[in-house]
Amino acid sequence: MKPIAPGTVIFHRYRGYGVLTAVNLLTGWVSARFGSEQRSLDLNLSTDEVQHADGEPILFRHAAPDRMPHARLMAMVRELHRAGYQRLYLYSWPKPSGLHWRWHLFTSTRNWMHRPWREGWYGSGGDYIFNPIMGWGDLPGATTEELIQALAKFDPEGLAQALGRDDDHTEWFESICEALLPGYMYSLSKEHNSDKSFPEALPIYPVRRSVPDYTGPALPWPPGWKAKQRQAPVLSRSDYLFT
């Protein structure tokens, strides 16, 4: 099945041609606007016989999709590390509600507390379930290679800053990906509602609802993490991006 996202042209047997305005891949519900109608119509992909403009049926995936993009991002970062872009880092942490996780890619100096921000290099699982893209010109369902190509085209200057060696982090990240992909992601934060101390092992979470909780071996925090935790972070706009 071809991917869908807001802006996809569809056909409905009773309404004719329309355009999707919202997509929720966790529930199978979409919203669409038809013709000159001012209001969007909610449709269920399991029962409302929605089609692409070319007539191909749009069917709801009974296998639960990713509820967060972090595993796809981890696979992309791993491939870029292998290509020599070892100064590329993925920071992920939970929203205050604990329902979704944020993500932030950054380059150059590996400083977990003072991360440089570039437009399009951050996002949230809360947005991803409605529009399953990263935000740098990629398409829903893009492969790892396609994600890399889209990022390189979107911000070549930013990606160029990731060129260079960081052997300690690259080795750690490779081992983490080997242990977790494709069903799990890590969180560089203490578990939600836990005490003030950070756990000894890296917190791990499934990226799909159908995946059981992680029961594998304990995984270490990234190199330099504990030292960074002793530094008082400087508040900036990044502290308020995803409230």
Side-chain angles (χ1 to χ4, degrees):
M1 187 182 78
K2 294 193 290 286
I4 58 174
T8 300
V9 178
I10 64 169
F11 179 79
H12 188 263
R13 61 184 302 183
Y14 299 118
R15 297 278 181 163
Y17 290 97
V19 176
L20 293 181
T21 59
V23 176
N24 190 322
L25 294 180
L26 290 183
T27 64
W29 283 91
V30 299
S31 296
R33 185 168 295 159
F34 295 89
S36 60
E37 297 181 11
Q38 298 300 312
R39 293 184 178 181
S40 296
L41 177 67
D42 291 334
L43 300 169
N44 188 292
L45 299 181
S46 297
T47 59
D48 286 323
E49 300 181 18
V50 182
Q51 301 175 2
H52 284 281
D54 61 4
E56 179 182 340
I58 301 176
L59 303 176
F60 179 55
R61 293 173 54 186
H62 293 287
D66 293 359
R67 58 181 177 179
M68 57 189 79
H70 297 67
R72 297 178 65 204
L73 288 167
M74 288 170 61
M76 184 193 78
V77 171
R78 177 171 62 173
E79 289 303 314
L80 283 168
H81 283 176
R82 293 172 175 175
Y85 294 83
Q86 295 186 2
R87 298 172 67 187
L88 175 64
Y89 310 98
L90 173 61
Y91 188 93
S92 55
W93 73 109
K95 283 191 170 187
S97 65
L99 297 177
H100 295 287
W101 270 257
R102 307 161 177 169
W103 59 268
H104 175 207
L105 290 171
F106 67 99
T107 62
S108 190
T109 304
R110 190 215 317 158
N111 190 321
W112 299 113
M113 296 297 101
H114 305 277
R115 307 180 304 275
W117 291 80
R118 299 185 70 90
E119 194 62 36
W121 288 56
Y122 51 83
S124 167
D127 299 323
Y128 184 79
I129 61 172
F130 295 104
N131 191 10
I133 60 174
M134 306 305 174
W136 55 66
D138 58 299
L139 298 175
T143 64
T144 298
E145 182 61 30
E146 289 169 341
L147 286 178
I148 293 173
Q149 293 176 357
L151 180 59
K153 183 178 180 180
F154 174 77
D155 191 352
E157 179 184 351
L159 188 58
Q161 295 179 13
L163 275 171
R165 298 181 66 89
D166 188 342
D167 295 334
D168 289 345
H169 177 267
T170 299
E171 182 179 348
W172 170 83
F173 196 84
E174 181 73 29
S175 65
I176 294 298
C177 289
E178 186 67 26
L180 299 183
L181 295 182
Y184 299 91
M185 52 82 71
Y186 63 85
S187 173
L188 293 181
S189 177
K190 59 185 177 181
E191 294 190 56
H192 188 61
N193 290 332
S194 66
D195 58 27
K196 293 183 179 180
S197 62
F198 278 80
E200 288 297 321
L202 191 67
I204 305 300
Y205 299 90
V207 297
R208 288 180 289 275
R209 286 184 174 178
S210 60
V211 177
D213 291 338
Y214 177 75
T215 57
L219 301 176
W221 293 85
W225 176 259
K226 292 184 178 180
K228 296 300 181 185
Q229 291 308 310
R230 291 193 291 268
Q231 300 179 7
V234 177
L235 294 179
S236 66
R237 76 182 187 94
S238 64
D239 294 284
Y240 308 100
L241 279 176
F242 302 107
T243 55

